[in-house]
């Protein structure tokens, strides 16, 4: 495996050079922020990003994400034109030699939390989610911009966006994903780019919106749309781990050949649909990191892993919730050490 960390480009408060100082981190998960939906990501821009990353001694291993325009998720007539643009960006990723594309198919919003400042007993700050709070959320107030959302929504905009989805249930959204993948995956194959869909976070419906990447059955259905390695998965222990019935290790085994990127993060469930994020080590939450890593080693996983979100600690100024440097650095070292320890244990065992 290769330990990576997300870097949002020049607008990131964490300098690339600091990331390069984390001993285990070799690669970067990058993005071009603020690109309009109808604009192709050019080879020149991707190569410029890549050169910057390489100048710090790191490699650019993943793009997370090229956002999928709402019109594609909604199946509107302009989707054909937008899918063509998407395909061209994928071709350009191939030309620039960037091997993995993590994307999601969540309507309107990306990852959703009801509490962006959940304070743990040690005073570190994480995000939390309460389904009860979500259900009484006043949609007319809109939503501010968050890390993963290209833009915020005023109340009016949010209500209008939700209205468009009234006719789209899980099956309709799935059909629109299938339509998209049947066109993009062949292009990705030719370009040498591995598509890796990110699970919905949280993996259940919010605001009455359809959500279709939630558990083993729904993921298998997506991977079956086109039987190609290039139609793959980002395995995210944080997103999938908040559903008690999701057996994370079994999922790693089941989707082995289609996992091209891994997000490792720990969560503590406090009810059926309530949770908060915690530090990476297993004892803090419900995700058994050692078991997952063991399974990843078993399946011979050799792709990129990132520590996903971190807590806010040591008074760090973290303008993008979850994406400060300190706790992601601690998390990545924990994961790396765990991986090395398990591999080492196996080697010693084999020699006996
Ligand atoms: C959260 C992230 C997600 C992820 C997108 C991928 O921090 O893991 O926002 O980037 O869903 O498209």
């Amino acid at each position: 495996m290769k330990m990576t960390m997300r870097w949002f480009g020049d607008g990131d408060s964490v300098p690339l050079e600091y990331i390069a100082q984390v001993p285990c981190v070799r690669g970067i998960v990058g993005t071009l922020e603020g690109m309009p939906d109808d604009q192709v990501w050019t080879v020149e821009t991707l190569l410029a990003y890549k050169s910057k990353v390489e100048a710090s001694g790191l490699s650019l291993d993943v793009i997370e994400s090229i956002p999928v325009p709402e019109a594609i998720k909604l199946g509107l007539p302009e989707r054909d034109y937008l899918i063509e643009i998407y395909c061209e960006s994928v071709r350009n990723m191939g030309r620039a030699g960037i091997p993995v594309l993590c994307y999601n198919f969540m309507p309107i919003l990306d990852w959703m939390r009801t509490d962006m400042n959940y304070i743990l007993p040690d005073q570190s700050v994480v995000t939390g989610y309460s389904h009860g709070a979500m259900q009484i959320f006043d949609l007319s107030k809109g939503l501010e911009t968050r890390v993963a959302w290209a833009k915020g929504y005023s109340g009016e905009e949010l209500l209008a966006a939700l209205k468009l989805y009234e006719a789209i249930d899980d099956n309709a959204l799935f059909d629109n994903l299938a339509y998209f993948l049947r066109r993009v995956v062949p292009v990705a194959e030719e370009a040498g780019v591995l598509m890796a869909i990110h699970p919905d976070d949280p993996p259940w419906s919010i605001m009455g919106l359809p959500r279709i990447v939630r558990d083993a059955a729904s993921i298998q259905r997506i991977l079956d749309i086109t039987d190609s390695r290039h139609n793959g998965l980002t395995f995210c222990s944080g997103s999938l781990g908040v559903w008690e019935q999701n057996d994370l290790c079994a999922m790693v085994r089941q989707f082995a050949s289609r996992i091209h990127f891994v997000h490792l993060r720990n969560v503590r469930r406090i009810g059926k649909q309530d949770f908060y994020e915690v530090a990476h080590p297993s004892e803090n939450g419900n995700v058994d990191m050692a078991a997952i890593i063991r399974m990843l080693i078993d399946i011979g996983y050799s792709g990129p892993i990132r520590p996903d979100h971190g807590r806010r600690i040591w008074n760090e100024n973290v303008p993008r919730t979850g994406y400060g440097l300190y706790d992601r650095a601690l998390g990545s070292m924990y994961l790396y050490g765990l991986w090395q320890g398990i591999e080492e244990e196996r080697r010693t065992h084999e020699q006996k």
Side-chain angles (χ1 to χ4, degrees), residues 178-197:
Y179 186 96
F180 169 74
L181 285 176
R182 288 199 185 101
R183 281 151 189 82
V184 180
V185 171
V187 172
E189 279 173 347
E190 218 168 284
V193 171
L194 296 165
M195 304 277 297
I197 196 165

Side-chain angles (χ1 to χ4, degrees), residues 143-318:
L143 283 164
E144 81 279 19
T145 307
R146 291 196 188 163
V147 185
W149 310 337
K151 61 177 187 70
Y153 291 88
S154 69
E156 243 166 64
E157 283 168 340
L158 183 59
L159 292 173
L162 287 167
K163 182 130 198 66
L164 289 175
Y165 275 95
E166 274 174 8
I168 310 283
D169 61 9
D170 280 6
N171 281 328
L173 185 65
F174 177 84
D175 289 345
N176 293 340
L177 172 61
Y179 186 96
F180 169 74
L181 285 176
R182 288 199 185 101
R183 281 151 189 82
V184 180
V185 171
V187 172
E189 279 173 347
E190 218 168 284
V193 171
L194 296 165
M195 304 277 297
I197 196 165
H198 189 284
D200 301 338
D201 182 3
W204 50 71
S205 175
I206 53 169
M207 300 182 186
L209 290 165
R211 294 265 215 181
I212 54 170
V213 199
R214 339 161 153 228
D215 53 16
S218 57
I219 291 170
Q220 187 63 57
R221 188 174 177 218
I222 291 167
L223 300 184
D224 287 343
I225 291 173
T226 61
D227 185 21
S228 161
R229 235 190 116 228
H230 293 259
N231 173 22
L233 174 70
T234 296
F235 180 81
C236 176
S237 68
S239 308
L240 296 167
V242 301
W243 244 161
E244 198 181 350
Q245 59 265 47
N246 278 339
D247 180 341
L248 299 182
C249 288
M251 287 165 107
V252 171
R253 197 185 320 111
Q254 179 174 346
F255 303 126
S257 62
R258 306 286 275 276
I259 298 176
H260 305 311
F261 186 28
V262 174
H263 287 181
L264 292 178
R265 167 161 65 82
N266 208 342
V267 288
R268 163 77 56 193
R269 295 188 292 265
I270 40 174
K272 197 166 165 276
Q273 287 176 287
D274 297 345
F275 63 88
Y276 53 88
E277 299 189 355
V278 291
H280 293 80
S282 302
E283 61 272 24
N284 297 287
N286 294 101
V287 174
D288 185 345
M289 286 298 172
I292 294 177
I293 288 180
R294 247 189 210 108
M295 189 57 79
L296 286 165
I297 294 175
D298 278 350
I299 64 162
Y301 184 73
S302 61
I305 293 185
R306 74 173 179 87
D308 208 13
H309 310 160
R311 299 162 302 147
R312 183 150 60 78
I313 56 171
W314 303 337
N315 210 18
E316 186 179 10
N317 172 29
V318 182

Side-chain angles (χ1 to χ4, degrees), residues 6 64-65 103-104 106 110-111 148 198 263 306 309 323:
R6 198 172 195 185
E64 177 182 350
S65 304
Y103 70 102
N104 75 74
M106 290 179 253
D110 197 305
W111 59 301
H198 189 284
H263 287 181
R306 74 173 179 87
H309 310 160
Y323 289 96

